[in-house]
Amino acid sequence: MSSGIWQRGKEEEGVYGFLIEDIRKEVTRASKLKCCICKKTGASIGCVTPRCKRSYHFPCGLQRECIFQFTGNFASFCWNHRPVQIITSNNYRDSLPCTICLEFIEPIPTYSILRSPCCKNAWFHRDCLQVQAINAGVFFFRCTICNNSDIFQKEMLRMGIHIPEKDASWELEENAYQELLQHYEHCDVRRCRCKEGRDYNVPDSKWEIKRCQCCGSRGTHLACSSLQSWEENWECLECRGILYNSGDFQKAKKHTLPNTNVGITDCLLEESSPKLPRQSPGAQREDLLRQGSKFRRDISTLIIELGFQIKKKAKRLFINKANIWNSALDGFRNQNFNPSYTIEIAYVNENDHFGKEQPGSKQEFLSLLMQQLENSPLFEGSLSKNLSLNSQALKENLYYEAGKMLAISLVHGGPSPGFFSKTLFNCLVYGPESTQPILDDVSDFDVAQIIIRINTAATVADLNSLINEYYNYLELIGCLRLITSLSDKYMLAKDILVYHVIKRVQAPFESFKQGLRTLGVLEKIQTYPEAFCNIFCHKPENLSTKILSDLFTVHTLSDVQALGFWNSYLQAIEDGKSTVTMEDILIFATGCSSIPPAGFKPTPSIECLHMDFPVGNKCNNCLALPITSTYKEFQENMDFAIKNTLRLEKEENSHFIGH
């Protein structure tokens, strides 16, 4: 890319045709040129536009969004003269997905956003295109919509995409597609009846393994699913769930099942496939559609991907509900704790001399832990919080532990944090140097008043008077500046803001950021900031009758009248006719006040039992409804049980909240 050097030799001469003497001359020439971006010498690249005198280093040029053309004379263009894509009219009112990563983008050509020259509706992130080009090489890099390569590559080269002259990376990998030649041979039903084991397969017998007709990635012995012959169709649990919930179940079913109740039949899957340990995308989409909005499905997919790291090996944490924070801290700091292990919760009571343990809900524990974190002295602010400066917490490395807790909570199915300020989130994603705080980020009343008074100064004399008044403070934080005009007040106010919100907490921020790298969470956030911003900076949507009724499924044969009372009860709560809230019901049944971004595991369910009061099983996310003779009795019993249960739990935990 250097402007003063040419390939004067043959390919085998010098360094790929660049002669050694030419390289030395170019080094000497560049040593006299100062980079217009970083101000250091050695700027060997210049903008090719006539009369443009800008020179820069290659990394600096990338940072300032210069364009380097990896073709022809390898021209370089500065940020003012770089080539742009011209669109005569923009009829795109809504966001469109990048056709590579499928993340939604604004269809406006910029440095970071490119449009296909051959397909009007094909838009890409520059970074996605560059990764695709490096992997595909010149022989396979083409438009993802129409497969055009000539026009597409020519335009991408013009816009600075490097297309290496090599074969595709997937073609160079030995035995890259070997697994496609393997047939899935494993019985996944709840009770495999074959004495030889689940992998035993004998063709043309009752122990022949039949694969799912929809996905082909699950299997069953014919005898284990009461199939008379191999020709009969069979669907696995995930595919059957999709068909069942889509309303096409009866049409798709072509053989009689021993029990049509999905969820308890022996023909359904119990253990996951050793070859395909994760849930199929189709089943994920259907399950999440039932549990929340379109946005939750998007963020859920990202969190589910992070969850693939979780191993089956379990680590039990002993948690004292009256001291959630320290219990979690001790558990996470234990040398045997691995964040990628499956977490099991056992509640203990320090006043119980018999040392009894009670099985606990992981999602309830994570929900309580996030409440503790939000109210901890590590953060400051009312609703939208920033990191505070707590020297004792810094000494005890608590900021790192807080970031680690947050990462573990997200990956293991915890709730949305929802309390970050946009400034703190932007610092994590784009870096403190690229983030501008606002006045609302300042929780210190005195500092906020100083900034307001400086911003509202009417004359230079008033401004100088304020500087004299706060001279010691401004000198201490390094924000003293010479005032030459009234407009200097804005820079002064900005300096104070940046110091108080960002520079002052630099050490806590770096420690917190390192903790958030646990399980690759920070990297995922930085890759998909728009998706994660909603769960970090906004509280979850309020629950409604529809959301809650769709969330809970009825697994077993239930009392019709009780289910009718349940629907009426939800409507009464939404109409304000009960002191119980939708969130109270969710906490009572699951331990969580909102639906986690990745949904619940297991899916919340309802059953009806002959008893006087409801029972919430938080480990199984199951709500048992009482069977009563009248709706009035049903509502009174529900209100009484839910309110008093939550009140007692709150009293047990209240003395430690905010510690």
Side-chain angles (χ1 to χ4, degrees):
M1 287 298 169
S2 295
S3 302
I5 189 169
W6 302 85
Q7 280 177 300
R8 296 195 302 117
K10 297 180 181 179
E11 193 71 10
E12 63 274 7
E13 292 182 85
V15 182
Y16 294 103
F18 291 96
L19 302 180
I20 300 300
E21 56 266 32
D22 290 344
I23 295 176
R24 289 197 176 111
K25 289 179 182 178
E26 180 62 5
V27 170
T28 303
R29 186 187 74 88
S31 65
K32 303 172 185 177
L33 298 175
K34 185 178 290 186
C35 176
C36 64
I37 299 170
C38 72
K39 309 305 180 186
K40 296 179 181 179
T41 58
S44 63
I45 305 174
C47 177
V48 299
T49 304
R51 298 184 181 179
C52 182
K53 303 298 183 182
R54 290 191 178 95
S55 294
Y56 34 83
H57 301 104
F58 185 83
C60 296
L62 289 177
Q63 184 181 353
R64 276 302 300 268
E65 301 183 345
C66 299
I67 280 184
F68 303 94
Q69 294 180 344
F70 295 85
T71 185
N73 290 331
F74 285 74
S76 169
F77 300 84
C78 70
W79 53 92
N80 279 345
H81 302 117
R82 68 190 181 205
V84 296
Q85 290 185 309
I86 305 298
I87 295 181
T88 53
S89 62
N90 188 356
N91 298 322
Y92 305 100
R93 297 181 180 178
D94 300 321
S95 299
L96 293 174
C98 166
T99 59
I100 296 176
C101 72
L102 302 183
E103 181 182 346
F104 279 89
I105 54 180
E106 292 298 322
I108 300 173
T110 62
Y111 175 80
S112 302
I113 306 298
L114 300 177
R115 192 182 79 157
S116 171
C118 42
C119 293
K120 295 181 179 179
N121 292 328
W123 294 80
F124 312 88
H125 290 107
R126 173 181 289 273
D127 292 343
C128 294
L129 273 174
Q130 187 58 77
V131 171
Q132 181 89 336
I134 290 174
N135 283 307
V138 70
F139 302 107
F140 289 92
F141 184 56
R142 57 195 64 186
C143 175
T144 55
I145 303 297
C146 69
N147 275 339
N148 179 284
S149 59
D150 295 335
I151 299 175
F152 186 77
Q153 287 191 17
K154 184 178 179 181
E155 174 66 4
M156 293 306 116
L157 287 169
R158 185 180 77 90
M159 296 306 297
I161 299 298
H162 173 45
I163 310 173
E165 293 186 8
K166 70 178 187 68
D167 208 347
S169 56
W170 57 83
E171 297 289 343
L172 301 175
E173 185 179 345
E174 188 176 359
N175 296 325
Y177 305 103
Q178 192 66 31
E179 67 273 14
L180 297 180
L181 303 177
Q182 299 174 0
H183 291 294
Y184 184 74
E185 295 180 350
H186 183 82
C187 181
D188 297 294
V189 299
R190 183 183 295 268
R191 294 186 184 89
C192 178
R193 296 167 182 157
C194 182
K195 294 181 180 179
E196 302 296 330
R198 292 182 177 270
D199 295 323
Y200 187 66
N201 181 29
V202 180
D204 301 321
S205 74
K206 65 178 181 180
W207 301 122
E208 181 175 8
I209 289 180
K210 168 73 177 177
R211 290 181 292 277
C212 172
Q213 66 163 343
C214 297
C215 68
S217 59
R218 296 290 188 272
T220 176
H221 289 115
L222 298 182
C224 296
S225 292
S226 302
L227 300 178
Q228 300 301 318
S229 69
W230 196 86
E231 283 74 22
E232 289 188 57
N233 289 326
W234 176 81
E235 305 91 10
C236 66
L237 173 62
E238 295 169 356
C239 297
R240 186 177 296 277
I242 297 171
L243 296 171
Y244 181 81
N245 289 309
S246 66
D248 296 332
F249 179 68
Q250 295 297 332
K251 180 179 179 181
K253 185 175 61 176
K254 295 183 180 179
H255 64 272
T256 304
L257 293 172
N259 188 337
T260 56
N261 192 334
V262 178
I264 62 173
T265 173
D266 289 349
C267 298
L268 301 186
L269 299 174
E270 177 180 50
E271 64 179 39
S272 60
S273 161
K275 295 181 182 177
L276 295 171
R278 54 190 178 184
Q279 189 182 20
S280 73
Q284 291 171 0
R285 285 194 297 269
E286 189 66 20
D287 190 43
L288 292 166
L289 178 61
R290 190 171 64 249
Q291 293 198 19
S293 64
K294 177 180 183 297
F295 160 71
R296 189 173 295 114
R297 294 203 309 276
D298 296 337
I299 185 63
S300 174
T301 302
L302 301 175
I303 294 178
I304 287 172
E305 289 175 2
L306 288 169
F308 293 160
Q309 306 170 76
I310 300 176
K311 301 177 176 65
K312 288 186 177 181
K313 184 174 181 180
K315 172 63 178 176
R316 176 168 293 188
L317 298 181
F318 297 95
I319 302 299
N320 180 3
K321 265 194 174 182
N323 197 340
I324 290 281
W325 176 266
N326 284 336
S327 298
L329 208 56
D330 292 342
F332 291 160
R333 282 177 167 174
N334 189 298
Q335 61 179 358
N336 294 323
F337 177 77
N338 187 327
S340 64
Y341 287 170
T342 297
I343 294 177
E344 293 180 352
I345 301 299
Y347 287 129
V348 295
N349 189 338
E350 59 185 8
N351 298 322
D352 185 356
H353 301 294
F354 297 99
K356 291 182 180 178
E357 302 173 10
Q358 290 183 341
S361 162
K362 178 179 68 175
Q363 289 184 307
E364 178 192 31
F365 158 68
L366 294 174
S367 181
L368 293 172
L369 182 61
M370 287 302 101
Q371 291 176 27
Q372 294 281 326
L373 186 61
E374 181 177 358
N375 295 306
S376 73
L378 304 178
F379 294 89
E380 60 184 20
S382 52
L383 297 176
S384 297
K385 295 178 181 287
N386 290 291
L387 288 172
S388 64
L389 180 58
N390 187 310
S391 57
Q392 185 63 30
L394 199 59
K395 183 179 179 181
E396 296 176 7
N397 205 25
L398 292 184
Y399 289 99
Y400 170 83
E401 297 296 340
K404 181 179 174 182
M405 287 178 182
L406 192 56
I408 291 173
S409 175
L410 277 177
V411 176
H412 286 266
S416 305
F419 60 87
F420 278 40
S421 71
K422 285 287 183 63
T423 298
L424 175 55
F425 183 79
N426 288 339
C427 284
L428 289 170
V429 175
Y430 308 110
E433 67 282 353
S434 302
T435 302
Q436 178 57 49
I438 59 175
L439 186 60
D440 289 343
D441 292 320
V442 181
S443 59
D444 188 307
F445 178 79
D446 293 332
V447 175
Q449 286 300 307
I450 293 174
I451 296 172
I452 292 172
R453 291 186 66 185
I454 289 174
N455 269 328
T456 55
T459 63
V460 173
D462 292 341
L463 189 56
N464 281 317
S465 176
L466 288 171
I467 291 176
N468 290 331
E469 182 179 348
Y470 300 117
Y471 184 89
N472 291 336
Y473 171 72
L474 295 175
E475 184 181 38
L476 179 67
I477 65 175
C479 290
L480 275 176
R481 63 167 48 238
L482 180 65
I483 302 300
T484 58
S485 66
L486 186 60
S487 61
D488 289 342
K489 67 180 182 179
Y490 300 114
M491 290 303 299
L492 178 59
K494 179 181 176 182
D495 290 345
I496 299 173
L497 259 178
V498 170
Y499 168 79
H500 186 82
V501 179
I502 295 178
K503 292 183 178 179
R504 181 177 64 98
V505 295
Q506 185 174 357
F509 174 77
E510 291 300 327
S511 182
F512 179 77
K513 191 169 75 168
Q514 287 303 316
L516 201 56
R517 292 187 186 277
T518 304
L519 296 172
V521 170
L522 179 61
E523 289 75 11
K524 203 74 166 178
I525 294 171
Q526 291 172 337
T527 306
Y528 302 98
E530 292 181 2
F532 280 93
C533 179
N534 284 280
I535 65 169
F536 272 82
C537 302
H538 303 284
K539 291 294 183 182
E541 62 180 332
N542 293 328
L543 298 173
S544 64
T545 297
K546 185 178 187 313
I547 291 175
L548 218 55
S549 59
D550 289 346
L551 179 65
F552 285 88
T553 59
V554 181
H555 279 307
T556 59
L557 189 61
S558 300
D559 185 85
V560 176
Q561 180 174 267
L563 291 178
F565 288 166
W566 162 252
N567 291 326
S568 300
Y569 183 62
L570 292 180
Q571 191 58 53
I573 293 175
E574 189 166 80
D575 295 340
K577 297 177 182 178
S578 172
T579 54
V580 172
T581 65
M582 299 289 184
E583 287 72 21
D584 290 340
I585 294 177
L586 197 61
I587 296 172
F588 182 78
T590 68
C592 302
S593 59
S594 62
I595 302 174
F600 285 104
K601 279 189 176 181
T603 301
S605 60
I606 284 177
E607 59 182 352
C608 301
L609 300 178
H610 289 278
M611 55 188 182
D612 294 330
F613 297 98
V615 175
N617 186 336
K618 297 175 182 176
C619 292
N620 295 326
N621 295 331
C622 181
L623 175 61
L625 301 176
I627 297 178
T628 60
S629 55
T630 64
Y631 171 71
K632 182 179 179 182
E633 183 184 1
F634 179 90
Q635 180 177 0
E636 289 175 350
N637 291 357
M638 291 287 289
D639 286 351
F640 177 83
I642 293 173
K643 284 192 299 183
N644 284 284
T645 300
L646 299 186
R647 178 179 58 81
L648 290 172
E649 290 179 351
K650 188 174 182 180
E651 288 176 357
E652 289 177 1
N653 304 334
S654 61
H655 73 278
F656 195 76
I657 295 289
H659 179 68

